[in-house]
């Protein structure tokens, strides 16, 4: 059985949008390149979802 990858339909994700329904979690945000509190929270949500 093949697991789904990035689930975004036929479009590019918008800035500020988090995609966490497929086998790949993805988000993009505006601003400087660093790992913010929001980034960490989304990262931890993904880890919890997949039991990592």
């Amino acid at each position: 059985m093949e697991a789904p990858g990035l689930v975004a339909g036929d479009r590019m994700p918008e800035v500020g949008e988090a995609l966490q329904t497929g086998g790949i979690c993805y988000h993009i945000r505006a601003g400087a390149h660093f790992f913010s509190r929001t980034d960490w929270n989304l990262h931890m949500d993904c880890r919890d979802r997949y039991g990592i």
Side-chain angles (χ1 to χ4, degrees), residues 2 7 11 13 16 18 20 27 32 35 38-40 42 46 48 50-51:
E2 186 173 320
V7 178
R11 65 181 179 78
Q20 295 188 329
H27 83 283
F35 220 56
T38 299
D39 298 327
W40 273 112
L42 288 168
C46 184
D48 289 344
Y50 296 105

Side-chain angles (χ1 to χ4, degrees), residues 3-7 17-27 40-52:
L6 181 63
V7 178
E17 180 179 15
L19 302 174
Q20 295 188 329
T21 57
I24 298 172
C25 297
Y26 175 87
H27 83 283
W40 273 112
N41 287 335
L42 288 168
H43 177 74
M44 297 309 289
D45 289 346
C46 184
R47 289 180 57 90
D48 289 344
R49 177 182 312 271
Y50 296 105
I52 299 171

